[in-house]
Amino acid sequence: MRLGVWQLHRADFKEDLLRRYAAAAAAPLQDFAGVADTPPADGFPRVKVDGHYLADRVYLLDNPKHDRRGGVQVYAPLALDGHSPLLLVDLGFLPGNGSDKSPQVPPLPTGKVSLQGLYVPPPPVGFEMGGNALARQTQWPKSSIFLDPAQVAADLGRGLYPRVLALDPDPAAIYERERNLDFSSMPPARHRAYAFQWFTFALAAVVILLVVHRKRKPRQS
């Protein structure tokens, strides 16, 4: 029963995160310096930063689940004036054309830029067959099915801020920026399904206990 209750609590927690994430998109801008190194564990600050892209160091998250054409999520490091760590910027999703080839990434501006968006956790990391795919590539853009911040930092030779900047939607941008938290592996509905299973197991255990220990009438001689 406690396992079932825990699953329900996890479902409520994730639904609350989704609501706060949706509300953060319209929240006032915050000072990035106040949240850069210690962002709130359960919050998604909307911030503004100034800096310049490392325009020739683009990373592609090969993640074609957005649509049937495939495509990539594009990330680029941003150097902030007077700060050593780099900020990884999520430019958005670039749709593919249905082939195995990655879409052509438009060139990034080389001068100073002013960006704003949500300061969010990096994309989830799973088990990558063959180890670090970035280290084996010698040309950019580099592509991987997972984007491990530690691997990106090692690849760039510089530290990264603990989160990434997911840029605000822009109708003029070529990138698709439909922002949402990635709970695809365990959405709230799945937690509730597991809770139902645990409650069912508990009920079955009680029924079995009653059946096994029920009083039996003595046999007639």
Side-chain angles (χ1 to χ4, degrees), residues 53 59 93 109 116 124 185 215:
Y53 284 114
Y59 294 92
F93 179 71
Q116 62 185 45
S185 61
K215 290 184 179 181

Side-chain angles (χ1 to χ4, degrees), residues 17-30 43-47 116-120 166-170 177-181:
L17 276 182
L18 290 171
R19 285 192 294 268
R20 276 182 284 164
Y21 187 87
L29 293 171
Q30 298 185 33
F44 312 98
R46 187 164 172 262
V47 298
Q116 62 185 45
L118 297 183
Y119 194 42
V120 300
L167 295 182
D168 284 345
D170 181 1
R177 295 172 181 164
E178 295 181 2
R179 303 300 186 189
N180 207 342
L181 293 177

Side-chain angles (χ1 to χ4, degrees), residues 126-173:
F127 179 72
E128 186 175 6
M129 297 292 291
N132 186 352
L134 302 180
R136 297 193 301 269
Q137 301 175 57
T138 58
Q139 294 182 335
W140 276 269
K142 292 189 175 184
S143 177
S144 179
I145 59 173
F146 296 111
L147 203 62
D148 188 334
Q151 294 179 1
V152 174
D155 195 50
L156 294 170
R158 292 177 63 176
L160 293 178
Y161 284 104
R163 290 191 175 186
V164 303
L165 180 67
L167 295 182
D168 284 345
D170 181 1

Side-chain angles (χ1 to χ4, degrees), residues 7-103:
Q7 291 285 1
L8 291 178
H9 286 169
R10 291 298 298 169
D12 292 341
F13 170 75
K14 288 187 176 180
E15 284 187 340
D16 182 58
L17 276 182
L18 290 171
R19 285 192 294 268
R20 276 182 284 164
Y21 187 87
L29 293 171
Q30 298 185 33
D31 181 19
F32 179 68
V35 296
D37 296 313
T38 55
D42 56 354
F44 312 98
R46 187 164 172 262
V47 298
K48 181 178 180 180
V49 295
D50 296 317
H52 64 274
Y53 284 114
L54 303 188
D56 58 344
R57 296 292 186 265
V58 174
Y59 294 92
L60 308 179
L61 179 59
D62 189 1
N63 190 5
K65 67 182 181 182
H66 289 72
D67 60 20
R68 295 180 180 179
R69 295 171 296 168
V72 291
Q73 198 80 15
V74 184
Y75 293 82
L78 184 77
L80 308 184
D81 296 337
H83 298 272
S84 176
L86 297 171
L87 176 62
L88 201 59
V89 178
D90 179 357
L91 299 174
F93 179 71
L94 199 57
N97 57 12
S99 68
D100 294 333
K101 294 183 179 180
S102 296

